Amino acid sequence: MPACLGVMNSSHGSRPLSRLLRYPKAFQFTTSTARHEPLPSIAPKTTINVKHIRQNPELYSQNCIDRNYKSQSDSPFKIVKLFDEWRTLQRSARGLREKNNEIRTKLSHAKTFSGREADDKADEHPRESHLEEARELKQQIGEIEAKEEHLTEEIHHLASELPNLTSKETPIGREPKIIGYINDHPESPSSSSGRIWRNHVHIGNDLDLLDFAGAATTSGWGWYYLKNEAALLEHALIQYALSVAMKHGFTVVSPPSVVYSHISSACGFRPRDQNGEQQVYTIQQSEKYQGTGKPDLSLAGTAEIPFASMKANATMEETELPLRIVGSSRCYRAEAGARGVETKGLYRVHEFSKVEMFGWTLPDQEDELFDSMLSIQKEILQNLGLHCRILEMPSTDLGASAVRKQDIEAYFPSRREKHEGWGEVTSTSICTDYQTRRLATRLRSSRNNGDASSTSSPAQPSTNSTGGTKIEFPSTVNGTALAVPRIIAALLELNWSEEDATVAVPTVLTPWMHGVDIIKKRR
């Protein structure tokens, strides 16, 4: 059986299903979704476990329903049906090939003797008959192979559209689970303190920190200028977040902001979300390159994408893991204006600075890195003095690549009426091997956990070598250390003093604020 339709990793088959649901592995095959979204030749070869989908169609179908991928909920059953058709064609083709081999053998042993015209004429008819039959068989085999290729492409496309499986820690449905809180709430439960709250847009205009009108003229709605102390706050927040992550062993990396579109898709970021909403800015190619097969480019929505692809088409060593990196980048989101009132100001914008943490770890050892990132987020937000709550996010809120996600939401006084004041400021996700399988990031491992190699195929032999090593896929974990505009918005609103019209700067940021500890109105 060709590897593209079979299993290249028996790890799913050897583990209890309950264990799989806790930290499920991604599905596997070598794919090029030719008919649907042609991948350029330079794209990493994706490896998905189609066999596990075929063996557990109900599991994958229910997972799609739980995660609001309802249009894909029938895909696992379609894959089973298409595979049965493919297998039937394989049997038919096998019989035709055997018959064709018999005819070739007969033709190769046909006796023709020079100078014996009578014998030659006598042998000519059966020989021509054999040649004609061989031509017909070749045509039939070619037609079957074309159908097989079509079925294989369809199976690949359907499998690639399925989301990762879901952790048992994830609440099913739409409601998150509150895990805990950071810092005290700035208001009493009765809200009778008499404190006057201001929206960060009002504060920013009053203190000459924000300019939305100029940005609208320059770039359109959803962009902004940070001015004066707000611009200093941006750089101070970045430096502070980097310093905390570095203290915890993360290595600093500055990633590119432009990535190949197929890299973005491999990380789980599609041009449109489940609601058909545009998510990604694609860079239009010049006429010179249109139709040449040059890969499309996109603006990265998060540093997670270029970070994950740093190890594309690479084999990591077990001694390298966990490998933890952190970096600041500009992020670009095309969907900023689709959520009504909450998009006002800095909360949801098209472009922003963010400090992102990313790491590769051994399979089934994601928890430690996940908890480490959460600890860093808590430390940063606590020291900034923000009141926050920690949420275990529900299945419908998970991106395609994540099996588990925790968000931290800060309290924004300006959002009290619509969302009880809460707004997301950080997020941490475990993606298991969803991204590494799609980016061809492999791990040379000497672990003896009873699993077969994850890349065993004729083209990718990876059974245990004489040295006792095997090839598998590492897991990835990502987390936002700090999203700058939302943090600035929260700080302006929470630290605003109505009495003297000032904003206090958190003490941890003052080393990068050039002596500014109070932001006040200019004369």
Side-chain angles (χ1 to χ4, degrees):
M1 181 185 298
C4 61
L5 291 178
V7 67
M8 290 192 281
N9 185 342
S10 62
S11 60
H12 288 306
S14 63
R15 294 180 187 173
L17 195 55
S18 60
R19 181 66 183 93
L20 175 70
L21 288 172
R22 183 169 187 272
Y23 282 122
K25 296 297 178 183
F27 16 84
Q28 176 173 306
F29 58 75
T30 300
T31 178
S32 176
T33 52
R35 287 194 314 112
H36 301 273
E37 296 180 7
L39 293 176
S41 59
I42 64 171
K45 289 189 176 181
T46 300
T47 308
I48 297 178
N49 194 339
V50 175
K51 182 177 180 180
H52 192 258
I53 301 173
R54 297 197 328 263
Q55 292 175 337
N56 300 277
E58 295 85 2
L59 170 66
Y60 284 89
S61 177
Q62 186 60 49
N63 184 62
C64 289
I65 294 172
D66 292 342
R67 294 177 67 147
N68 199 29
Y69 281 70
K70 294 181 180 179
S71 60
Q72 282 82 30
S73 61
D74 289 335
S75 295
F77 300 105
K78 291 178 182 178
I79 289 172
V80 173
K81 181 177 180 293
L82 292 172
F83 178 77
D84 289 341
E85 294 178 19
W86 176 86
R87 190 162 49 185
T88 300
L89 289 174
Q90 281 276 295
R91 287 194 291 264
S92 299
R94 189 181 303 115
L96 293 176
R97 291 188 184 98
E98 290 174 355
K99 191 172 183 180
N100 192 40
N101 289 337
E102 291 176 4
I103 293 174
R104 291 174 61 186
T105 300
K106 290 178 181 179
L107 288 171
S108 66
H109 289 84
K111 295 181 180 180
T112 56
F113 299 95
S114 177
R116 296 184 59 181
E117 294 182 5
D119 288 344
D120 288 345
K121 291 178 181 179
D123 290 340
E124 188 66 25
H125 179 71
R127 184 172 183 276
E128 284 299 324
S129 177
H130 288 324
L131 288 173
E132 179 63 26
E133 187 175 5
R135 283 191 287 268
E136 292 178 358
L137 287 172
K138 182 179 179 181
Q139 181 178 352
Q140 293 176 31
I141 293 172
E143 291 173 354
I144 289 176
E145 289 176 344
K147 292 178 181 177
E148 289 177 348
E149 182 179 359
H150 173 82
L151 291 173
T152 300
E153 291 175 353
E154 188 64 25
I155 290 172
H156 290 171
H157 172 69
L158 292 172
S160 67
E161 293 294 309
L162 295 176
N164 206 343
L165 292 175
T166 306
S167 168
K168 71 176 185 180
E169 304 293 337
T170 298
I172 301 302
R174 297 183 176 277
E175 294 299 320
K177 177 182 177 182
I178 299 177
I179 303 298
Y181 291 89
I182 301 172
N183 293 327
D184 294 330
H185 199 288
E187 288 187 298
S188 63
S190 62
S191 300
S192 59
S193 63
R195 180 174 178 179
I196 298 176
W197 298 104
R198 299 289 184 184
N199 185 294
H200 69 273
V201 177
H202 172 91
I203 298 170
N205 289 332
D206 196 41
L207 300 183
D208 195 24
L209 303 175
L210 307 175
D211 183 356
F212 294 99
T217 302
T218 304
S219 307
W221 192 94
W223 272 270
Y224 55 93
Y225 286 100
L226 296 178
K227 301 168 60 180
N228 302 311
E229 289 88 349
L232 291 178
L233 274 176
E234 176 177 42
H235 294 287
L237 286 166
I238 290 172
Q239 290 301 317
Y240 173 60
L242 290 174
S243 68
V244 175
M246 291 172 64
K247 181 180 68 175
H248 288 273
F250 282 72
T251 301
V252 178
V253 175
S254 292
S257 295
V258 177
V259 296
Y260 284 128
S261 295
H262 63 263
I263 293 293
S264 183
S265 294
C267 293
F269 293 83
R270 300 302 174 89
R272 293 187 180 274
D273 65 12
Q274 288 303 105
N275 300 315
E277 187 175 299
Q278 186 72 25
Q279 296 188 105
V280 178
Y281 282 114
T282 300
I283 300 174
Q284 184 176 4
Q285 292 187 0
S286 64
E287 293 183 3
K288 176 182 177 181
Y289 294 110
Q290 291 180 7
T292 63
K294 182 178 175 63
D296 290 335
L297 292 167
S298 302
L299 295 177
T302 168
E304 174 190 343
I305 299 168
F307 280 168
S309 59
M310 279 183 68
K311 296 297 182 178
N313 293 322
T315 300
M316 306 179 74
E317 300 296 333
E318 187 176 353
T319 54
E320 296 180 61
L321 304 183
L323 178 59
R324 299 168 293 175
I325 58 177
V326 64
S328 65
S329 71
R330 299 293 280 182
C331 304
Y332 300 88
R333 306 287 175 88
E335 39 67 56
R339 291 178 172 84
V341 67
E342 73 174 22
T343 64
K344 292 180 181 179
L346 292 175
Y347 188 80
R348 194 176 297 277
V349 292
H350 289 302
E351 179 183 3
F352 57 96
S353 295
K354 180 161 70 81
V355 178
E356 181 77 5
M357 299 177 288
F358 191 89
W360 296 263
T361 186
L362 291 171
D364 302 324
Q365 295 188 17
E366 302 93 344
D367 277 348
E368 184 176 350
L369 186 53
F370 184 72
D371 292 339
S372 172
M373 290 183 182
L374 286 169
S375 176
I376 290 171
Q377 292 170 339
K378 293 174 186 177
E379 179 178 345
I380 291 172
L381 295 172
Q382 183 172 16
N383 289 338
L384 289 175
L386 299 179
H387 174 58
C388 304
R389 66 178 184 178
I390 306 162
L391 304 175
E392 187 75 51
M393 298 309 292
S395 56
T396 55
D397 198 75
L398 300 183
S401 61
V403 301
R404 183 186 181 191
K405 181 163 80 89
Q406 283 192 11
D407 285 358
I408 299 181
E409 295 182 338
Y411 179 74
F412 294 79
S414 63
R415 294 170 61 83
R416 286 177 296 172
E417 294 183 4
K418 189 173 179 61
H419 299 282
E420 298 181 342
W422 299 111
E424 177 197 338
V425 290
T426 73
S427 180
T428 309
S429 299
I430 296 175
C431 298
T432 61
D433 52 7
Y434 182 99
Q435 294 173 333
T436 54
R437 289 178 180 273
R438 292 166 182 252
L439 293 169
T441 303
R442 294 177 172 82
L443 167 65
R444 184 177 289 107
S445 172
S446 60
R447 298 188 310 149
N448 182 20
N449 57 8
D451 292 341
S453 169
S454 60
T455 57
S456 57
S457 73
Q460 300 167 323
S462 54
T463 54
N464 287 355
S465 68
T466 54
T469 61
K470 65 177 181 178
I471 300 298
E472 52 186 331
F473 293 94
S475 293
T476 60
V477 182
N478 66 82
T480 306
L482 187 142
V484 170
R486 292 188 182 182
I487 296 296
I488 290 179
L491 290 175
L492 291 180
E493 293 184 10
L494 289 168
N495 293 353
W496 168 256
S497 170
E498 181 70 18
E499 183 178 355
D500 52 10
T502 62
V503 174
V505 175
T507 304
V508 292
L509 299 183
T510 55
W512 299 279
M513 288 295 293
H514 295 272
V516 176
D517 56 2
I518 298 290
I519 302 173
K520 59 184 68 176
K521 194 171 185 175
R522 284 172 173 71
R523 295 181 179 179

